[in-house]
Amino acid sequence: MAAYRILIKASAGRELERLGTKADRTRIVERIQSLAHDPRPHRYEKLAGYSDRFRIRQGNYRIVYLVADQRREVMIFKVGDRKDVYR
């Protein structure tokens, strides 16, 4: 199975740079990179009201993303603390 291409919106990249400690950011980046091989990993959740948007957890942080299966792309929309990410 061919890998998906990972795209990160500029706003999500800025959010990622401002998050927690360097160790937190490293774990989040590893989790994002793992989406290239499996865009719907164990314990992913579909966002209500969308057919192609999902979220995954990484500790207290959430990664919100869109999967475009035809183009084999994963677009990261939002990265943030679980209390703030859905606002």
Side-chain angles (χ1 to χ4, degrees):
M1 180 165 116
Y4 282 67
R5 190 167 57 152
I6 302 292
L7 305 171
I8 301 176
K9 283 184 62 173
S11 59
R14 287 189 300 273
E15 291 168 349
L16 181 58
E17 290 173 358
R18 290 191 299 255
L19 287 180
T21 65
K22 184 176 180 179
D24 289 336
R25 289 190 301 272
T26 301
R27 283 192 295 272
I28 291 168
V29 168
E30 288 171 358
R31 184 70 176 215
I32 289 171
Q33 289 172 342
S34 74
L35 292 174
H37 301 289
D38 185 10
R40 294 175 186 89
H42 179 66
R43 298 191 69 183
Y44 78 99
E45 300 247 347
K46 185 174 164 295
L47 292 182
Y50 299 98
S51 63
D52 57 355
R53 293 192 187 185
F54 306 94
R55 73 136 171 102
I56 55 173
R57 293 175 47 181
Q58 179 56 52
N60 285 335
Y61 300 99
R62 301 296 181 265
I63 303 162
V64 179
Y65 63 99
L66 174 136
V67 177
D69 287 312
Q70 284 78 13
R71 294 189 310 258
R72 313 264 322 148
E73 292 178 346
V74 174
M75 169 66 80
I76 307 300
F77 274 100
K78 196 156 184 69
V79 179
D81 193 284
R82 65 188 176 117
K83 68 180 180 242
D84 300 324
V85 79
Y86 301 112
R87 295 182 188 176

